[in-house]
Amino acid sequence: TQLLEQSPQFLSIQEGENLTVYCNSSSVFSSLQWYRQEPGEGPVLLVTVVTGGEVKKLKRLTFQFGDARKDSSLHITAAQPGDTGLYLCAGAGGANNLFFGTGTRLTVIP
Amino acid sequence: DAMVIQNPRYQVTQFGKPVTLSCSQTLNHNVMYWYQQKSSQAPKLLFHYYDKDFNNEADTPDNFQSRRPNTSFCFLDIRSPGLGDAAMYLCATSRDIRELLTDTQYFGPGTRLTVL
C-alpha cells in the first residue's frame, strides 16, 4: 500500500490568511491530484501535477509537485470562506487506482 | 449537467437488511469505482470495473458486492449491513486505466448510508 500523509489534519484560520497543506509519501507517484470535497458532496478535482518540480496555479491556489515526485503542497493565498472543505491529495502509482491521502479539513472563519 | 449520478443521495436501512446503491454515468467511461468514506476520512477503494472486468480490493469484505450490467450503470450491493458500514459511498469513473498518468476520476455526489 502506498501511503500519503497529509498535514495538518485540521486547520482553522481567519479569512484573508495564507495557508499551506502538505502531502508526503515515501513512494514515487507518476502523477498526483488534489481534490476538494464539500460536506455531503463527492470530491472535485482541482489539479493534476505530473512532472517533478511542477508548479500550477489556480487563482489563489498554488500547487507544487516535489522534484522526486513523492510529495506535494497546496498553498492558498488570502483564504476565503468558500475555500472551506476537505482537501485530499491522491497519487497515481501506475496501477489501477488512486491512493488517497489522509485529508486536511480546512475551515475559513469570516 | 450531472455526469456521475448516484441514487439515492440518502439511504436508511436496518441492521442486516440488504441494500443496493446505484450509480450511473453519462461520460461513457470504461472504468467505474466504488469507494467507502467514513466521517473525516479519505475515500477507501472497495472495487472497480474495467469494462466488465471486476477488480476487488484485497481488504474489501465479502459483504460488499457489485454489478455492472452495462457501461452506464454500476451497483453496490451490501448483503447484510452492519453498524460499521454506515458511511458515504462514492462512485467514480475514469476513461481508461492505461492513461492513468494524467487520467482523472470523476466523482458522484455520494450516497450517505445510515444503518439502524
Side-chain angles (χ1 to χ4, degrees), chain A residues 63-90:
Chain A
F63 305 85
Q64 184 162 7
F65 201 13
D67 291 341
R69 292 185 288 133
K70 294 182 179 180
D71 56 86
S72 181
S73 63
L74 158 60
H75 182 79
I76 302 179
T77 303
Q80 303 295 313
D83 297 328
T84 293
L86 178 66
Y87 288 81
L88 296 161
C89 64

Side-chain angles (χ1 to χ4, degrees), chain A:
Chain A
T1 302
Q2 294 167 279
L3 297 176
L4 281 162
E5 295 286 338
Q6 287 185 237
S7 61
Q9 187 177 359
F10 297 96
L11 185 59
S12 182
I13 62 171
Q14 294 289 330
E15 181 177 359
E17 292 184 353
N18 302 332
L19 67 113
T20 301
V21 176
Y22 298 94
C23 174
N24 295 294
S25 176
S26 58
S27 302
V28 176
F29 293 96
S30 56
S31 67
L32 195 138
Q33 302 178 354
W34 283 93
Y35 291 82
R36 180 171 65 214
Q37 184 177 21
E38 298 186 13
E41 300 294 330
V44 175
L45 181 70
L46 296 174
V47 76
T48 299
V49 285
V50 177
T51 306
E54 182 177 5
V55 177
K56 281 191 174 179
K57 291 190 175 182
L58 183 66
K59 297 184 180 178
R60 293 177 293 99
L61 279 60
T62 302
F63 305 85
Q64 184 162 7
F65 201 13
D67 291 341
R69 292 185 288 133
K70 294 182 179 180
D71 56 86
S72 181
S73 63
L74 158 60
H75 182 79
I76 302 179
T77 303
Q80 303 295 313
D83 297 328
T84 293
L86 178 66
Y87 288 81
L88 296 161
C89 64
N96 55 11
N97 56 35
L98 292 177
F99 297 94
F100 278 92
T102 47
T104 295
R105 185 164 295 282
L106 171 66
T107 302
V108 181
I109 303 167

Side-chain angles (χ1 to χ4, degrees), chain A residues 31 33 37 40 42 45 96 101, chain B residues 9 37 42 45 48 101 103-104 108:
Chain A
S31 67
Q33 302 178 354
Q37 184 177 21
L45 181 70
N96 55 11
Chain B
R9 292 293 309 274
Q37 185 179 28
L45 182 65
H48 75 274
L101 186 64
D103 205 357
T104 297

